[in-house]
C-alpha cells in the first residue's frame, strides 16, 4: 500500500495513477478549497476534489475545511474539519477538530483559534480504507497523546494530522511529536503540512512527513511544495505490536485508562 502526501499553500494535488497492484491513498493540505462554509460538508459530487478522487481511484484525506455549525447565525463560528473521501468521491468520515490552538509563541505571533472556531464534540472511529484503518485528527491535536491512544485502541493503524505548524514550533516540535505519536501508538503517522507565508505575521513550516510504527521517518518533504510517498506495511505493524505488546502492559489501575477506547 502507498500513501502520498502533498504539501503546499497554493498548488493543486498532483494527478497520477498507480499500477494495478497498488491502491493509493492521497493526503493533501489544500487551503484553496477552505471556503466550504455550509452546514454538514455535503461536498458536491461534481467538485474538483470528488472528480480527482474518482478519476485517479484515490482516497483523499483533506484537512482544514471550514464548516458552519448549527448555531452559525448566532456565533458566526465554524468547525475546523478533516474530511475523508473514498475512491468514488463520497464523504465517508468527518472529524471536527477538538483541540483549539490558543497560544502565544514568541517570534511566531499569537493564535486565537477559539475566536472563530468551535471545538468538535467527539472523536471519530477509525475508518477502514485500502491502506488500513485510518484515524482522523488535525494539527494541534498531535500535542495530546490521549487522542492518539484512543484512536489506536479503537483499531487505528494509520493516524493522520493535516497541519499548518508555525515557523517557530515547526523546527522544534514537528518531527519529535509525530515520531512520539507513532511510537506510543505503534501506528503509521501521516502528516500533510502547509508551507509558505499566510500573512506578514504568520508562516507555516511545511515538511510533510510519514513516520512508521517504529518511529522512523520513512518519507519527508522540504519546507517548500512537494510530494512524498511511503509504503504502508501492515504486516510489519502487526509484527511490531506482537514483539512490543505495550497495550497489554498498560496499568490503568495506577494511572487510569488514558485515551479510553471510543
Amino acid at each position: 500500500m502507498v500513501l502520498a502526501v502533498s504539501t503546499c499553500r497554493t498548488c493543486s494535488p498532483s494527478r497520477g495513477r498507480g499500477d494495478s497492484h497498488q491502491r493509493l491513498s492521497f493526503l493533501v493540505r489544500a487551503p484553496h478549497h477552505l471556503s466550504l462554509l455550509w452546514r454538514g460538508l455535503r461536498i458536491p459530487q461534481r467538485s474538483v476534489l470528488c472528480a480527482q478522487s474518482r478519476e485517479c481511484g484515490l482516497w483523499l484525506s483533506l484537512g482544514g475545511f471550514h464548516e458552519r455549525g448549527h448555531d452559525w447565525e448566532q456565533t458566526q463560528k465554524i468547525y475546523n474539519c478533516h474530511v475523508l473521501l473514498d475512491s468514488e468521491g463520497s464523504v465517508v468520515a468527518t472529524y471536527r477538530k477538538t483541540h483549539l490552538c490558543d497560544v502565544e509563541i514568541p517570534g511566531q505571533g499569537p493564535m486565537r483559534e477559539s475566536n472563530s472556531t468551535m471545538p468538535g464534540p467527539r472523536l471519530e472511529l477509525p475508518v477502514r480504507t485500502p491502506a488500513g484503518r485510518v484515524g482522523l485528527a488535525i494539527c494541534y491535536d498531535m500535542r495530546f497523546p490521549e487522542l492518539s491512544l484512543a484512536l489506536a485502541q479503537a483499531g487505528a493503524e494509520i493516524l493522520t494530522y493535516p497541519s499548518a505548524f508555525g515557523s517557530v514550533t515547526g523546527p522544534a516540535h514537528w518531527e519529535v511529536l509525530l515520531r512520539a505519536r507513532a511510537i506510543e501508538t505503534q501506528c503509521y503517522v501521516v502528516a500533510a503540512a502547509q508551507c509558505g507565508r499566510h500573512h506578514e505575521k504568520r508562516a507555516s513550516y511545511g515538511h510533510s512527513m510519514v513516520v512508521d510504527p517504529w518511529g522512523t521517518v520513512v518519507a519527508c518533504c522540504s519546507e517548500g511544495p512537494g510530494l512524498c510517498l511511503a509504503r504502508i506495511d501492515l504486516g510489519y505493524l502487526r509484527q511490531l505490536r506482537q514483539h512490543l505488546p505495550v497495550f497489554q502492559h498498560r496499568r490503568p489501575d495506577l494511572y487510569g485508562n488514558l485515551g479510553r477506547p471510543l
Side-chain angles (χ1 to χ4, degrees):
M1 303 298 179
V2 178
L3 283 166
V5 180
S6 177
T7 171
C8 63
R9 292 195 64 247
T10 57
C11 70
S12 297
S14 299
R15 298 171 59 184
R17 187 180 298 273
D19 61 47
S20 60
H21 301 292
Q22 293 179 333
R23 289 292 189 90
L24 297 179
S25 288
F26 187 98
L27 296 104
V28 60
R29 181 77 178 185
H32 54 302
H33 295 303
L34 297 190
S35 57
L36 299 181
L37 287 173
W38 60 75
R39 190 178 303 166
L41 281 179
R42 299 178 300 277
I43 298 178
Q45 284 291 305
R46 294 185 179 180
S47 71
V48 63
L49 298 172
C50 295
Q52 287 175 336
S53 181
R54 291 192 298 270
E55 179 182 347
C56 300
L58 305 178
W59 286 59
L60 302 182
S61 166
L62 303 158
F65 282 101
H66 293 172
E67 176 197 17
R68 288 182 179 181
H70 64 280
D71 55 354
W72 162 259
E73 289 75 14
Q74 289 75 41
T75 66
Q76 296 292 293
K77 290 186 177 183
I78 53 91
Y79 290 110
N80 186 348
C81 291
H82 183 169
V83 182
L84 190 64
L85 301 184
D86 66 15
S87 56
E88 299 300 318
S90 299
V91 176
V92 295
T94 301
Y95 164 72
R96 294 162 180 87
K97 187 180 180 187
T98 50
H99 300 98
L100 301 184
C101 189
D102 288 355
V103 300
E104 293 189 24
I105 307 296
Q108 189 168 284
M111 287 192 64
R112 289 289 181 270
E113 192 174 12
S114 63
N115 286 347
S116 61
T117 305
M118 295 183 296
R122 62 184 177 274
L123 303 184
E124 297 297 326
L125 287 170
V127 179
R128 188 184 296 273
T129 77
R133 293 183 181 87
V134 174
L136 305 181
I138 298 175
C139 198
Y140 190 58
D141 285 334
M142 76 177 66
R143 293 188 179 274
F144 302 89
E146 298 90 343
L147 184 152
S148 59
L149 289 170
L151 291 174
Q153 292 181 87
E157 296 162 318
I158 303 165
L159 302 178
T160 51
Y161 293 99
S163 301
F165 248 57
S167 57
V168 174
T169 56
H173 297 160
W174 174 249
E175 180 178 328
V176 68
L177 282 171
L178 294 173
R179 294 183 67 195
R181 298 295 84 86
I183 293 168
E184 70 198 8
T185 62
Q186 298 177 322
C187 288
Y188 282 90
V189 169
V190 181
Q194 286 189 23
C195 64
R197 182 160 293 280
H198 300 255
H199 48 73
E200 66 277 4
K201 294 183 179 180
R202 184 183 173 198
S204 284
Y205 178 60
H207 292 82
S208 292
M209 189 173 296
V210 182
V211 185
D212 74 12
W214 185 252
T216 301
V217 177
V218 293
C220 184
C221 292
S222 66
E223 69 277 2
L227 180 73
C228 63
L229 302 173
R231 184 171 298 277
I232 302 298
D233 186 347
L234 296 182
Y236 171 68
L237 178 148
R238 293 167 186 141
Q239 184 181 60
L240 178 61
R241 290 181 176 183
Q242 183 179 8
H243 292 165
L244 271 171
V246 292
F247 283 96
Q248 297 176 32
H249 298 158
R250 304 192 79 83
R251 291 290 306 274
D253 57 309
L254 298 180
Y255 42 72
N257 197 354
L258 301 177
R260 291 183 299 173
L262 303 181

